[in-house]
Amino acid sequence: MSHANQSRPMTSRRSGPLTGEAQIPGDKSISHRALILGALSVGETRITGLLEGEDVLDTAKAMAAFGAKVERHGRGEWSVNGVGVGGFSEPEGVIDCGNSGTGVRLIMGAMATTPITATFTGDASLSRRPMARVTDPLSEFGAQITSREGGRLPITIQGVQDPMPVRYRTPVASAQIKSAILLAGLNAPGKTVVIESEPTRDHSERMLAGFGAEIHSETTPDGHVVTLTGRPELRAQPVAVPRDPSSAAFPVAAALIVPGSAIRVPGISRNPTRDGLYITLREMGADLVFENDREEGGEPVADLIVRHGKLKGVSVPAERAASMIDEFPILSVIAAFAEGKTVMNGVAELRVKESDRIDAMARGLEANGVTVEETPDSMTVHGMEKVPGGGTAVTHLDHRIAMSFMVLGMASEAPVTVDDGSPIATSFPDFTALMRGLGADLG
Ligand SMILES: O=C(O)C1=C[C@@H](OP(=O)(O)O)[C@@H](O)[C@H](O)C1
Ligand SMILES: C=C(OP(=O)(O)O)C(=O)O
């Protein structure tokens, strides 16, 4: 889906205390994977709590285009009747993955070892993002791939009939690269191995194991090594999608910076590959209480109670970047209200997300009176007692930039505007309603 022609400015105003419960929608990463693994399984996969954001809906359409029967039964309730590993059929049209890096990269992996041809496109943001990081390893399986200059979309993949398993060291710590290789490895005989420098989110590994694949991970002196045995029969499984910690970060941040706030966020992920923000916030002195630790949908979760309080700036180590990669935009907003400076290290990957997130946050914060320094792979935000606000941030088709500046406006002196809030629908369609329910003034 594309927002190119429907820019929707949004403004957020200083808010009174935020209170109540924030019911966060389903995890985007897990939702994509539930649809894709459902499509690669034999039998019916029933999904509850699926995120109905545009990114995930594009993946649902793609799975139908490759031959799976994908049906919606009610809010968040979906079923996928899969075609089995290697069972994808050739899609009739072009596969449009909209704004979603996860969608396009995982689906390219899932089809590259089946002898069919597919062409992938996306919106203006996705068309700027690097794809060679995925098409390079997929070529090693034997797939024939043509792309636009610089490894960008549109990309056509001619899947390989007799794939070779691959042993691949990822050039950057990325769950999308890892997952694309593992999904391609499903239809290659023998063992496919992915080695990453830092462990990235492990939802693919957890779900592949749940669907019956033989997969294991180990931390070695050489890195984090994931080994998958190809050609399993994946068996359909019920999937209860847990809530998205990356979406939860927005109301959590708002409660931390709006004086007098105290909110409850049930079912927050405690998966150690996703919890870097919460470790960082604790170091900043945030008042966070986790209770009712339990498991939901195969993921460790807990309820979080978060209260406004004084925060101090910290230095976030580069090794933590992968476990909070999508949370840096909102962390930079929180940092603007902390005492002292917050340094985010090893974050070069932010430059190739839906936008160059370092640039987008730096320019938007500056427009609202906050001092920011940047290097190619770091960002430093200088906290201040009162954040002036009053500026407009450009969102560049990036949902996380839009939501971050809406949160900034809830605690700054003057209102904050974004040029286009429509990308929020890619990952968190109910963001505005949820924030208003807690007492925020935005729209
Ligand atoms: O695998 C996933 O579901 C995701 C991985 C991350 O990307 P990278 O793996 O490219 O860092 C993250 O930014 C994205 O929102 C979702
Ligand atoms: C980077 C993100 O998503 P994707 O790569 O799937 O577009 C995100 O949701 O912040």
Side-chain angles (χ1 to χ4, degrees), residues 28-29 33 102 105-106 133 173-177 179 201 325-326 349 353 357 400:
K28 176 158 71 70
S29 294
R33 287 159 171 81
T102 309
R105 293 188 177 120
L106 269 56
R133 52 178 55 197
S174 158
Q176 293 181 7
I177 305 177
S179 301
R201 65 189 68 193
I325 194 67
D326 293 341
E349 272 296 292
K353 296 294 183 185
R357 287 180 171 166
R400 299 209 194 274

Coordinates of all heavy atoms in Angstrom, one line a residue, residues 28-29 33 102 105-106 133 173-177 179 201 325-326 349 353 357 400, ligand 1:
K28 N 4.4 -7.1 15.0 CA 4.5 -7.0 13.5 C 5.4 -8.1 13.0 O 5.1 -8.8 12.0 CB 5.0 -5.6 13.1 CG 5.2 -5.5 11.6 CD 5.2 -4.0 11.2 CE 6.4 -3.2 11.6 NZ 7.7 -3.5 11.0
S29 N 6.6 -8.3 13.6 CA 7.5 -9.3 13.2 C 6.9 -10.7 13.2 O 7.0 -11.5 12.3 CB 8.8 -9.3 14.1 OG 9.5 -8.2 13.9
R33 N 5.6 -13.5 10.2 CA 6.2 -14.9 10.2 C 5.0 -15.9 10.3 O 5.1 -17.0 9.7 CB 7.2 -15.0 11.3 CG 8.5 -14.3 11.0 CD 9.3 -14.0 12.3 NE 10.6 -13.5 12.0 CZ 10.9 -12.3 11.7 NH1 10.0 -11.3 11.6 NH2 12.2 -11.9 11.6
T102 N 10.5 -6.0 6.2 CA 10.4 -7.4 6.6 C 9.6 -8.3 5.6 O 10.1 -9.4 5.3 CB 9.7 -7.4 8.0 OG1 10.3 -6.5 8.9 CG2 9.7 -8.8 8.6
R105 N 11.7 -8.9 2.3 CA 12.9 -9.7 2.4 C 12.6 -11.1 2.8 O 13.2 -12.0 2.3 CB 13.9 -9.0 3.4 CG 14.4 -7.7 2.9 CD 15.5 -7.1 3.8 NE 16.0 -5.9 3.3 CZ 16.0 -4.7 3.9 NH1 15.4 -4.6 5.1 NH2 16.6 -3.6 3.4
L106 N 11.6 -11.3 3.7 CA 11.3 -12.7 4.1 C 10.6 -13.4 3.0 O 10.9 -14.6 2.7 CB 10.4 -12.7 5.4 CG 11.2 -12.7 6.7 CD1 12.2 -11.6 6.8 CD2 10.2 -12.7 7.9
R133 N 21.7 -7.2 0.4 CA 22.0 -8.0 1.6 C 21.2 -9.3 1.7 O 21.6 -10.2 2.4 CB 21.7 -7.1 2.9 CG 20.3 -6.5 2.8 CD 20.0 -5.6 4.0 NE 20.9 -4.6 4.3 CZ 21.0 -3.9 5.5 NH1 20.1 -4.2 6.5 NH2 21.8 -3.0 5.7
A173 N 24.2 -7.2 11.6 CA 23.3 -8.0 12.4 C 21.9 -7.6 12.0 O 21.4 -6.5 12.3 CB 23.5 -7.6 13.9
S174 N 21.2 -8.5 11.4 CA 19.8 -8.3 10.8 C 19.0 -9.5 10.9 O 19.3 -10.5 10.2 CB 19.9 -7.7 9.4 OG 18.7 -7.9 8.7
A175 N 17.9 -9.4 11.6 CA 17.0 -10.6 11.6 C 16.3 -10.8 10.3 O 15.9 -11.9 10.0 CB 15.9 -10.4 12.7
Q176 N 16.2 -9.8 9.5 CA 15.6 -9.9 8.2 C 16.5 -10.7 7.3 O 16.0 -11.6 6.5 CB 15.3 -8.6 7.6 CG 14.2 -7.8 8.3 CD 13.8 -6.5 7.8 OE1 14.3 -6.1 6.7 NE2 13.0 -5.7 8.5
I177 N 17.8 -10.5 7.3 CA 18.7 -11.2 6.5 C 18.7 -12.7 6.9 O 18.6 -13.6 6.2 CB 20.2 -10.7 6.5 CG1 20.2 -9.2 6.1 CG2 21.1 -11.5 5.6 CD1 21.6 -8.6 6.2
S179 N 16.5 -14.3 8.6 CA 15.2 -15.0 8.3 C 15.0 -15.4 6.9 O 14.5 -16.4 6.5 CB 14.0 -14.2 8.8 OG 14.2 -13.9 10.2
R201 N 16.7 -10.5 16.7 CA 15.4 -11.1 17.2 C 15.2 -12.5 16.6 O 15.5 -12.8 15.5 CB 14.2 -10.2 16.8 CG 14.0 -10.0 15.3 CD 12.9 -9.0 15.1 NE 13.4 -7.7 15.4 CZ 12.7 -6.5 15.6 NH1 11.4 -6.6 15.3 NH2 13.3 -5.4 15.9
I325 N 16.6 -2.0 17.9 CA 16.9 -1.3 16.6 C 15.7 -0.4 16.2 O 16.0 0.7 15.7 CB 17.3 -2.2 15.5 CG1 17.9 -1.5 14.4 CG2 16.2 -3.1 15.0 CD1 19.2 -0.8 14.7
D326 N 14.5 -0.8 16.5 CA 13.4 0.1 16.0 C 13.0 1.1 17.1 O 12.1 2.0 16.9 CB 12.1 -0.7 15.7 CG 12.4 -1.6 14.5 OD1 13.3 -1.3 13.7 OD2 11.6 -2.6 14.3
E349 N 22.7 1.2 11.0 CA 21.5 0.6 10.4 C 20.3 1.5 10.3 O 19.4 1.3 9.4 CB 21.2 -0.7 11.1 CG 21.9 -1.9 10.6 CD 21.6 -2.3 9.1 OE1 20.5 -2.7 8.8 OE2 22.5 -2.1 8.3
K353 N 16.6 2.3 7.2 CA 15.2 1.9 7.6 C 14.2 2.6 6.6 O 14.6 3.0 5.6 CB 14.9 2.1 9.0 CG 15.9 1.3 10.0 CD 15.6 -0.2 9.9 CE 16.5 -0.9 10.8 NZ 16.3 -2.4 10.7
R357 N 16.8 7.3 9.7 CA 16.2 7.7 11.0 C 17.1 8.6 11.8 O 16.6 9.3 12.6 CB 15.8 6.4 11.8 CG 14.6 5.8 11.1 CD 14.2 4.5 11.9 NE 12.9 4.1 11.3 CZ 12.3 2.9 11.5 NH1 12.9 2.0 12.3 NH2 11.1 2.6 11.0
R400 N 7.6 5.2 12.4 CA 8.2 5.4 13.7 C 8.6 6.9 13.9 O 8.6 7.4 15.0 CB 9.4 4.5 14.0 CG 8.9 3.0 13.9 CD 9.7 2.1 14.7 NE 9.3 0.7 14.3 CZ 8.3 0.0 14.7 NH1 7.5 0.5 15.7 NH2 8.0 -1.2 14.3
Ligands
LIG1 O1 12.9 -9.4 11.3 C1 12.1 -8.5 11.6 O2 10.9 -8.7 11.8 C2 12.6 -7.1 11.8 C3 13.9 -6.9 11.9 C4 14.5 -5.5 12.0 O3 15.2 -5.2 10.8 P1 16.7 -5.7 10.5 O4 16.7 -7.1 10.7 O5 16.9 -5.4 9.0 O6 17.5 -4.9 11.4 C5 13.5 -4.5 12.4 O7 14.1 -3.2 12.1 C6 12.2 -4.6 11.6 O8 11.3 -3.7 12.0 C7 11.6 -6.0 11.8

